[in-house]
Amino acid sequence: MSLRSIVIHPDPRLKKLCDPVPDLSDELRRLADDMLETMYDAPGIGLAAPQVGVLQRLIVADAVKDPDAAPQPVVMFNPEVVLSSDETSVYEEGCLSIPDQFAEVTRPAEVRVSWIDIDGNPQEGEFQGLWATVLQHEIDHLNGKLFIDYLSPMKRQLMTRKSQKIKRERARA
Ligand code: K1U
Ligand code: ZN
């Protein structure tokens, strides 16, 4: 396993529609392992393949809140929201590609998601709370959408400028 570097906004790779994964391969399983390691190292509670520069439909997540609880890593190939609740919830979201910035986003409170698991088996499950928020945030990444796209143009511009500054500083360091 190895750490991958995280793509920082603005970057054209974060605006692209990602390709479905046709068949699982050892290379894709290695990528999933690397993404989990990168997510835990960041630290984060989710990560999508375009955030490590790979434009394929793969996400990882572990939205267990309790720091003393056992890790619950989830790997999803070709994840899709197949049903969303009318009820919404608001969560202060962050993004590893938009460092140090947070904003409230309103999303469906519960979602049914289908995906292909690490063994190539189709799965479907219902998610609520933080899991629902994180999975929707990660699936948005696969469609070139960022959480700041839900905000006003002014807030989005402000956060983009701050992220651009952090990106420049990190490149110089
Ligand atoms: O996709 C990403 O950029 C990861 C992002 C996921 C996310 C967080 C909050 C709401 C929606 C989606 C993050 O993990 S940001 C870091 C973060 O929220 C966090 C880090 C450590 C402990 C707890 C949270
Ligand atoms: Zn993100």
Side-chain angles (χ1 to χ4, degrees), residues 18 28 44 71 154:
C18 294
L28 279 169
M154 194 184 266

Side-chain angles (χ1 to χ4, degrees), residues 51 94-96 137-138 141:
Q51 293 182 278
C95 181
L96 297 174
H137 176 116
E138 302 311 331
H141 272 301

Side-chain angles (χ1 to χ4, degrees), residues 43-47 51 91 93-97 133-134 137-138 141:
I45 52 177
L47 195 67
Q51 293 182 278
Y91 193 86
E93 298 194 15
C95 181
L96 297 174
S97 294
T133 297
V134 173
H137 176 116
E138 302 311 331
H141 272 301

